[in-house]
Amino acid sequence: MIEKNEYYSVEFVDMTHDGMGVCKIDGFPIFVANALKGEKAEIKIVKVNASFGFGRLVEMIHKSPFRKEPICDHFSECGGCNLMHMNYQMQLDFKKHRTKETLRKLGKIDTKVNETLGMLNPYYYRNKAVIPFGEENGKMISGLYKSRTHDIIDMKKCYIIPKITTDIVKFMKNVFEELNIPAYNETIGTGVVRCLVVRNSYKFDDISVTIVTLTPKLPKKDIIVKKLVSRYKKVVSVVHNFNPDNTNIIMGKKSKVIYGEDFIRDEINGVFFKISHRSFYQVNPIQTEALYSKAIEYADLTTDEVIIDAYCGIGTIGLTAAKYAKTLLGVDIVKQAISDATENAKNNGISNFKFVAGKAEDVILQWKNYNVDVLFVDPPRKGCDKKFLKTVIEMKIPKIVYISCNVSTLARDLNYLQANGYQVLEVTPFDMFPQTSHIETVTKLRLKKQEL
Ligand SMILES: C[S@@+](CC[C@H](N)C(=O)[O-])C[C@H]1O[C@@H](n2cnc3c(N)ncnc32)[C@H](O)[C@@H]1O
């Protein structure tokens, strides 16, 4: 029997979905962080559950040729970049393999999975950073959560957010300290500053900063704003968000613009967008352009189609596809995103559209008789609502392009579509989140001829 605190020499035979090495001791699986498939090491058992356990690396005996020394000093503590110990090609291969295996095991789908489309420079790509604030030994700290905890690591540098974002966070920490504005203490529910949300535009220079506080007021807000915008001219929007709840949800319901406008501008594949502080926007702008191009290629549009952009956010996919279609219908649950989408359409001279705020599973019922040709669907991590998919099947929409940020829920949804007349033709993984184990995919589906 495997027991806690025992030492073993092991060989890693697989990887978990979040990049841990898997070894087996008498057939019993043990997961170890910072270990790669093919490596041999001495490990210490730190936890044993009924059907698996966790170990800690004690000494590496044989290193994988695909190992890369993580460039970040926070790697061993931070939960963010859990693949940084793999070289980039291995990260891309890992994501392709995970996609194929998850679709096969969870979805019973055996389809063509293309190579993962990677980045030329897989660093500093995130256009949005959420940085929690806290206190340590009486000093304010700001940074990233330690893996699987709510303990904050005081961030010196981060290799996946733009350098200017790290600078702004450090600058704001100094401003709060100088003005005696304390950080939120999650344990006892006191303090003021919970986190900063910094968003950068890729094609423009715009930056927005949202300051989330526990208190309804942001003390000395005029001084804070003055200091921030005079130091960083690119900051065009500062928003104060009030979040009094004991929750993991980042923003509370109430927000107030305290400087500039409530949006930044950006451009994707020639279409301009206004993005307000609450609206969803893809976090990797370079990969987003490639992702949307692939989605449009999979839709095979001829300018004659009625298309739906479901879970459309600010309308990015639909509006980039609109010039190749006859009519665009879009739906998102966030009202502000829909008003952004509508404005974005008008600003781009697009008129063949209808955006509706509401639940995709409800709104699609209004479009049942529209003879929809193509469905673009890009749900949140939990995947599509079953009622939504049921209506899609009833509508016999001939082409579906499914964009997903969670291969497990993708597998579940594809399984349902496959069982109801759709053929899963191919899947392309995109590396939207380099250094991390998150996978984005685009899937091409067609309704089988006999179902039409
Ligand atoms: C992964 S984002 C995709 C957004 C957009 N397609 C894009 O690429 O920027 C998922 C979107 O689903 C929306 N959403 C979540 N639940 C929803 C529901 N039940 N009905 C409609 N939209 C929903 C969220 O507001 C979010 O904008």
Side-chain angles (χ1 to χ4, degrees), residues 39-143:
E39 293 189 325
K40 292 182 182 160
E42 172 99 345
I43 62 162
K44 182 179 179 182
I45 306 296
V46 291
K47 193 173 178 186
V48 184
N49 294 332
S51 51
F52 60 91
F54 290 94
R56 182 170 57 75
L57 266 187
V58 178
E59 199 190 338
M60 188 61 81
I61 298 166
H62 169 75
K63 273 190 191 178
S64 163
F66 307 111
R67 175 172 281 277
K68 183 172 193 282
E69 214 41 59
I71 53 173
C72 181
D73 290 345
H74 301 305
F75 171 75
S76 58
E77 298 176 286
C78 174
C81 294
N82 52 355
L83 301 190
M84 214 181 222
H85 57 310
M86 294 180 182
N87 72 21
Y88 193 48
Q89 188 55 48
M90 185 180 185
Q91 292 186 25
L92 299 177
D93 294 344
F94 170 83
K95 291 184 184 190
K96 175 183 174 181
H97 177 74
R98 286 234 66 81
T99 304
K100 193 149 181 73
E101 282 304 286
T102 312
L103 292 181
R104 192 177 61 78
K105 285 186 188 152
L106 295 185
K108 310 275 177 281
I109 290 154
D110 192 13
T111 191
K112 179 179 170 202
V113 176
N114 296 315
E115 296 301 320
T116 309
L117 204 134
M119 296 187 77
L120 284 177
N121 176 16
Y123 298 106
Y124 303 112
Y125 58 84
R126 269 195 83 97
N127 60 12
K128 179 183 173 188
V130 179
I131 310 288
F133 278 63
E135 265 181 21
E136 195 176 65
N137 304 324
K139 275 196 70 101
M140 192 176 231
I141 55 171
S142 59

Side-chain angles (χ1 to χ4, degrees), residues 225-240:
V225 167
K226 195 165 170 209
K227 282 180 183 281
L228 174 62
V229 301
S230 48
R231 172 72 180 77
Y232 295 97
K233 303 283 180 238
K234 293 178 180 177
V235 174
V236 294
S237 169
V238 185
V239 175
H240 168 219

Side-chain angles (χ1 to χ4, degrees), residues 280-282 292 309 311-313 316-317 331-334 358-361 378-380 382 405:
F280 177 91
Y281 189 61
Q282 299 284 353
Y292 289 179
D309 181 1
Y311 306 87
C312 68
T316 41
I317 299 174
V331 54
D332 197 278
I333 201 165
V334 175
K359 290 185 181 169
E361 54 272 30
D378 183 12
K382 66 178 180 193
C405 57

